[in-house]
Short mmCIF file of all heavy atoms in Angstrom, two decimals:
data_model
loop_
_atom_site.label_atom_id
_atom_site.label_comp_id
_atom_site.label_asym_id
_atom_site.label_seq_id
_atom_site.Cartn_x
_atom_site.Cartn_y
_atom_site.Cartn_z
N THR A 18 -15.84 -13.46 8.78
CA THR A 18 -16.57 -14.25 7.82
C THR A 18 -16.81 -15.71 8.31
O THR A 18 -17.89 -16.27 8.14
CB THR A 18 -15.80 -14.30 6.46
OG1 THR A 18 -15.50 -13.00 6.04
CG2 THR A 18 -16.58 -14.99 5.44
N LEU A 19 -15.77 -16.26 8.97
CA LEU A 19 -15.93 -17.59 9.54
C LEU A 19 -16.91 -17.57 10.68
O LEU A 19 -17.77 -18.53 10.78
CB LEU A 19 -14.60 -18.07 10.07
CG LEU A 19 -13.62 -18.69 9.00
CD1 LEU A 19 -12.21 -18.60 9.46
CD2 LEU A 19 -14.02 -20.10 8.67
N ALA A 20 -16.91 -16.56 11.54
CA ALA A 20 -17.83 -16.43 12.63
C ALA A 20 -19.27 -16.32 12.10
O ALA A 20 -20.23 -16.91 12.70
CB ALA A 20 -17.47 -15.30 13.60
N GLU A 21 -19.44 -15.51 11.07
CA GLU A 21 -20.81 -15.34 10.51
C GLU A 21 -21.36 -16.69 9.97
O GLU A 21 -22.55 -16.83 9.96
CB GLU A 21 -20.74 -14.35 9.33
CG GLU A 21 -20.62 -12.86 9.80
CD GLU A 21 -20.42 -11.91 8.63
OE1 GLU A 21 -20.23 -12.38 7.53
OE2 GLU A 21 -20.52 -10.70 8.84
N ALA A 22 -20.44 -17.56 9.50
CA ALA A 22 -20.83 -18.89 9.08
C ALA A 22 -21.05 -19.84 10.22
O ALA A 22 -21.29 -21.09 10.03
CB ALA A 22 -19.81 -19.39 8.09
N GLY A 23 -20.96 -19.35 11.44
CA GLY A 23 -21.22 -20.23 12.65
C GLY A 23 -20.05 -20.98 13.15
O GLY A 23 -20.19 -21.95 13.92
N ARG A 24 -18.87 -20.58 12.77
CA ARG A 24 -17.64 -21.32 13.22
C ARG A 24 -17.06 -20.71 14.49
O ARG A 24 -17.15 -19.47 14.62
CB ARG A 24 -16.56 -21.41 12.12
CG ARG A 24 -17.09 -21.75 10.79
CD ARG A 24 -17.56 -23.21 10.72
NE ARG A 24 -18.15 -23.50 9.44
CZ ARG A 24 -19.38 -23.44 9.09
NH1 ARG A 24 -20.25 -23.02 10.05
NH2 ARG A 24 -19.84 -23.67 7.94
N HIS A 25 -16.53 -21.54 15.35
CA HIS A 25 -15.75 -21.05 16.54
C HIS A 25 -14.34 -20.70 16.10
O HIS A 25 -13.65 -21.58 15.61
CB HIS A 25 -15.75 -22.12 17.63
CG HIS A 25 -14.90 -21.70 18.78
ND1 HIS A 25 -14.23 -22.62 19.56
CD2 HIS A 25 -14.66 -20.47 19.29
CE1 HIS A 25 -13.59 -21.99 20.51
NE2 HIS A 25 -13.82 -20.69 20.42
N VAL A 26 -13.98 -19.44 16.23
CA VAL A 26 -12.76 -18.96 15.64
C VAL A 26 -11.82 -18.45 16.73
O VAL A 26 -12.19 -17.77 17.67
CB VAL A 26 -12.99 -17.82 14.64
CG1 VAL A 26 -11.72 -17.38 13.98
CG2 VAL A 26 -14.06 -18.19 13.61
N VAL A 27 -10.56 -18.82 16.61
CA VAL A 27 -9.47 -18.28 17.40
C VAL A 27 -8.52 -17.51 16.52
O VAL A 27 -8.08 -18.05 15.49
CB VAL A 27 -8.76 -19.41 18.19
CG1 VAL A 27 -7.46 -18.81 18.83
CG2 VAL A 27 -9.60 -20.02 19.22
N ILE A 28 -8.21 -16.29 16.91
CA ILE A 28 -7.18 -15.50 16.14
C ILE A 28 -5.93 -15.43 17.05
O ILE A 28 -5.97 -15.11 18.28
CB ILE A 28 -7.63 -14.03 15.91
CG1 ILE A 28 -8.99 -14.01 15.20
CG2 ILE A 28 -6.64 -13.31 15.07
CD1 ILE A 28 -9.53 -12.63 15.07
N THR A 29 -4.80 -15.71 16.44
CA THR A 29 -3.50 -15.50 17.20
C THR A 29 -2.74 -14.37 16.53
O THR A 29 -2.74 -14.18 15.33
CB THR A 29 -2.63 -16.78 17.19
OG1 THR A 29 -2.32 -17.08 15.78
CG2 THR A 29 -3.36 -17.94 17.84
N GLU A 30 -2.10 -13.56 17.35
CA GLU A 30 -1.35 -12.41 16.94
C GLU A 30 -0.03 -12.30 17.67
O GLU A 30 -0.06 -12.38 18.91
CB GLU A 30 -2.17 -11.14 17.14
CG GLU A 30 -1.51 -9.82 16.99
CD GLU A 30 -0.86 -9.63 15.63
OE1 GLU A 30 -1.53 -9.89 14.59
OE2 GLU A 30 0.32 -9.25 15.54
N ALA A 31 1.07 -12.12 16.98
CA ALA A 31 2.35 -12.13 17.60
C ALA A 31 2.58 -10.81 18.39
O ALA A 31 3.34 -10.89 19.39
CB ALA A 31 3.49 -12.21 16.54
N MET A 32 1.97 -9.73 17.99
CA MET A 32 2.20 -8.43 18.66
C MET A 32 1.29 -8.37 19.90
O MET A 32 0.30 -9.09 20.03
CB MET A 32 1.91 -7.31 17.67
CG MET A 32 2.75 -7.38 16.43
SD MET A 32 4.53 -7.26 16.71
CE MET A 32 4.67 -5.52 17.09
N PRO A 33 1.58 -7.37 20.77
CA PRO A 33 0.76 -7.25 21.95
C PRO A 33 -0.67 -6.81 21.69
O PRO A 33 -1.54 -7.07 22.49
CB PRO A 33 1.51 -6.20 22.81
CG PRO A 33 2.90 -6.26 22.30
CD PRO A 33 2.83 -6.57 20.83
N THR A 34 -0.90 -6.12 20.57
CA THR A 34 -2.18 -5.62 20.25
C THR A 34 -2.40 -5.87 18.69
O THR A 34 -1.48 -5.98 17.96
CB THR A 34 -2.33 -4.12 20.51
OG1 THR A 34 -1.21 -3.38 19.83
CG2 THR A 34 -2.29 -3.82 22.01
N PRO A 35 -3.66 -5.99 18.32
CA PRO A 35 -3.96 -6.28 16.89
C PRO A 35 -3.84 -5.07 15.98
O PRO A 35 -3.93 -3.93 16.45
CB PRO A 35 -5.43 -6.77 16.93
CG PRO A 35 -6.06 -6.04 18.10
CD PRO A 35 -4.91 -5.93 19.11
N ALA A 36 -3.67 -5.35 14.69
CA ALA A 36 -3.80 -4.40 13.60
C ALA A 36 -2.94 -3.16 13.78
O ALA A 36 -3.37 -2.03 13.58
CB ALA A 36 -5.25 -3.98 13.45
N ARG A 37 -1.69 -3.31 14.16
CA ARG A 37 -0.72 -2.23 14.41
C ARG A 37 -0.45 -1.40 13.13
O ARG A 37 -0.39 -0.21 13.13
CB ARG A 37 0.52 -2.71 15.06
CG ARG A 37 0.31 -3.03 16.54
CD ARG A 37 1.63 -3.20 17.30
NE ARG A 37 1.39 -3.18 18.68
CZ ARG A 37 2.36 -3.03 19.59
NH1 ARG A 37 3.60 -2.83 19.19
NH2 ARG A 37 2.11 -3.06 20.85
N LYS A 38 -0.28 -2.16 12.02
CA LYS A 38 0.02 -1.48 10.77
C LYS A 38 -1.21 -0.71 10.32
O LYS A 38 -1.10 0.41 9.74
CB LYS A 38 0.49 -2.46 9.75
CG LYS A 38 1.00 -1.87 8.48
CD LYS A 38 1.52 -2.98 7.51
CE LYS A 38 1.90 -2.35 6.20
NZ LYS A 38 2.47 -3.41 5.25
N PHE A 39 -2.35 -1.30 10.51
CA PHE A 39 -3.65 -0.68 10.15
C PHE A 39 -3.77 0.67 10.92
O PHE A 39 -4.14 1.67 10.32
CB PHE A 39 -4.80 -1.61 10.47
CG PHE A 39 -6.15 -1.07 10.17
CD1 PHE A 39 -6.62 -0.96 8.88
CD2 PHE A 39 -7.03 -0.82 11.23
CE1 PHE A 39 -7.88 -0.51 8.63
CE2 PHE A 39 -8.30 -0.36 10.97
CZ PHE A 39 -8.77 -0.21 9.62
N LEU A 40 -3.49 0.66 12.24
CA LEU A 40 -3.56 1.84 12.96
C LEU A 40 -2.52 2.89 12.55
O LEU A 40 -2.86 4.09 12.49
CB LEU A 40 -3.39 1.50 14.41
CG LEU A 40 -4.54 0.73 15.16
CD1 LEU A 40 -4.08 0.30 16.52
CD2 LEU A 40 -5.81 1.60 15.15
N MET A 41 -1.32 2.46 12.25
CA MET A 41 -0.29 3.34 11.78
C MET A 41 -0.72 4.02 10.49
O MET A 41 -0.51 5.23 10.25
CB MET A 41 1.02 2.68 11.63
CG MET A 41 2.20 3.49 11.09
SD MET A 41 2.62 4.86 12.19
CE MET A 41 3.48 3.92 13.46
N ALA A 42 -1.25 3.20 9.53
CA ALA A 42 -1.68 3.79 8.25
C ALA A 42 -2.79 4.81 8.42
O ALA A 42 -2.94 5.68 7.62
CB ALA A 42 -2.16 2.62 7.33
N GLY A 43 -3.57 4.58 9.45
CA GLY A 43 -4.70 5.53 9.69
C GLY A 43 -4.38 6.79 10.48
O GLY A 43 -5.21 7.62 10.68
N LYS A 44 -3.07 6.98 10.86
CA LYS A 44 -2.75 8.16 11.67
C LYS A 44 -2.87 9.40 10.85
O LYS A 44 -3.26 10.48 11.43
CB LYS A 44 -1.26 8.03 12.14
CG LYS A 44 -1.20 7.19 13.42
CD LYS A 44 0.21 7.39 14.10
CE LYS A 44 0.15 6.68 15.45
NZ LYS A 44 1.43 6.93 16.22
N SER A 45 -2.62 9.39 9.60
CA SER A 45 -2.74 10.57 8.76
C SER A 45 -4.06 10.62 7.99
O SER A 45 -4.31 11.44 7.12
CB SER A 45 -1.64 10.63 7.72
OG SER A 45 -1.59 9.46 6.95
N GLY A 46 -5.01 9.68 8.39
CA GLY A 46 -6.33 9.59 7.71
C GLY A 46 -6.52 8.24 7.11
O GLY A 46 -5.75 7.85 6.16
N LEU A 47 -7.48 7.49 7.61
CA LEU A 47 -7.65 6.11 7.12
C LEU A 47 -8.40 6.14 5.75
O LEU A 47 -9.61 6.34 5.74
CB LEU A 47 -8.53 5.36 8.18
CG LEU A 47 -8.77 3.88 7.84
CD1 LEU A 47 -7.50 3.09 7.75
CD2 LEU A 47 -9.73 3.26 8.81
#
Side-chain angles (χ1 to χ4, degrees):
T18 306
L19 280 157
E21 287 176 349
R24 311 295 175 265
H25 175 212
V26 185
V27 170
I28 308 174
T29 60
E30 168 58 47
M32 302 299 285
T34 53
R37 287 195 165 193
K38 187 175 176 182
F39 179 72
L40 290 171
M41 178 64 75
K44 277 195 170 181
S45 58
L47 180 63

